[in-house]
Amino acid sequence: DAGVTQSPTHLIKTRGQHVTLRCSPISGHKSVSWYQQVLGQGPQFIFQYYEKEERGRGNFPDRFSARQFPNYSSELNVNALLLGDSALYLCASSARWGQGNTEAFFGQGTRLTVV
Amino acid sequence: AQKITQTQPGMFVQEKEAVTLDCTYDTSDPSYGLFWYKQPSSGEMIFLIYQGSYDQQNATEGRYSLNFQKARKSANLVISASQLGDSAMYFCAMRDTGTASKLTFGTGTRLQVTL
């Protein structure tokens, strides 16, 4: 069975550009969440989607947006890239939402470098 | 607000020995889940073990066990019979049952297994 897949794995962008990151959850999972992990820190929550609706948003500027498609895959978009957006972006897939015991399975991440 | 504290930036352990990675948490939610993830240099977050706030027994998964002390709000990870492949970053995380149902991560502990 395929796990969580993210694309691309690596990306280099210039300041001011736009980027789209993609995530396909585990088959049957309806919840996708996005995390940003800056070097040397733990992942920080950006968005959560369940059944194609946004269920939560972390403390990130409006330059960050996301959506979930009918097949439960998801895109994370970042506009007007800043150097500080350089990070590992992780997508997590869960079968449920709103329950503390819900396990989250992560993809391998997209490493974004802004120059 | 939820908070996870990992006070050990780095730990060393000899091969075949046991090691304990510390994690304390803070939440006002009576229902929550505690997770440990392993992150090798490749970046992928690998789920290791889960403990629910209402679970009476400590969770175990192979060589991993979670020492859950609810009154102290601690959820330490014990790795028995360490292997060279256990060298990685280890993150403690908590999921609440709030609207976002997000994962809150600690800052991680880098474990180095030596011969």
Side-chain angles (χ1 to χ4, degrees):
Chain A
D1 289 340
V4 182
T5 56
Q6 291 185 244
S7 63
T9 55
H10 294 81
L11 202 52
I12 299 176
K13 289 286 190 178
T14 304
R15 276 178 300 175
Q17 283 189 316
H18 162 91
V19 68
T20 297
L21 311 181
R22 295 177 174 83
C23 172
S24 292
I26 293 170
S27 178
H29 284 193
K30 299 180 180 180
S31 175
V32 169
S33 49
W34 289 93
Y35 292 80
Q36 180 197 64
Q37 186 179 20
V38 173
L39 194 63
Q41 297 182 17
Q44 297 292 315
F45 171 73
I46 311 176
F47 284 109
Q48 178 155 31
Y49 278 78
Y50 178 74
E51 288 282 19
K52 294 157 282 185
E53 290 188 15
E54 182 183 305
R55 303 289 181 163
R57 169 189 280 258
N59 189 24
F60 281 80
D62 292 342
R63 299 185 296 108
F64 288 76
S65 63
R67 56 179 176 169
Q68 187 176 32
F69 298 100
N71 65 354
Y72 302 110
S73 67
S74 177
E75 282 183 356
L76 175 69
N77 295 283
V78 187
N79 293 324
L81 285 166
L82 303 173
L83 295 180
D85 295 331
S86 295
L88 179 68
Y89 288 84
L90 294 162
C91 171
S93 165
S94 299
R96 301 181 301 270
W97 165 78
Q99 299 178 34
N101 62 353
T102 301
E103 294 173 6
F105 298 92
F106 286 81
Q108 81 281 12
T110 294
R111 197 168 296 277
L112 172 66
T113 302
V114 182
V115 298
Chain B
Q2 296 74 37
K3 185 177 181 182
I4 294 283
T5 302
Q6 294 181 256
T7 57
Q8 306 156 313
M11 291 281 287
F12 286 89
V13 64
Q14 278 195 320
E15 197 180 17
K16 300 179 186 177
E17 297 294 312
V19 63
T20 298
L21 306 183
D22 294 341
C23 172
T24 58
Y25 62 92
D26 191 21
T27 181
S28 56
D29 194 332
S31 178
Y32 52 87
L34 295 159
F35 302 81
W36 277 91
Y37 286 89
K38 172 184 177 181
Q39 187 177 44
S41 56
S42 61
E44 183 181 1
M45 298 286 279
I46 302 168
F47 167 75
L48 296 178
I49 195 167
Y50 158 81
Q51 180 83 43
S53 58
Y54 294 121
D55 292 345
Q56 296 297 310
Q57 292 188 324
N58 288 341
T60 59
E61 289 285 350
R63 295 187 299 111
Y64 304 108
S65 61
L66 201 153
N67 184 3
F68 181 47
Q69 298 188 42
K70 195 169 183 178
R72 295 185 177 183
K73 292 190 174 180
S74 74
N76 298 339
L77 176 70
V78 180
I79 305 175
S80 62
S82 296
Q83 302 172 356
L84 294 177
D86 293 335
S87 295
M89 282 291 289
Y90 287 81
F91 289 95
C92 179
M94 176 171 60
R95 186 195 291 280
D96 63 16
T97 54
T99 303
S101 193
K102 64 182 181 181
L103 281 170
T104 300
F105 286 84
T107 52
T109 296
R110 180 168 296 281
L111 177 67
Q112 189 71 40
V113 181
T114 61
L115 291 171

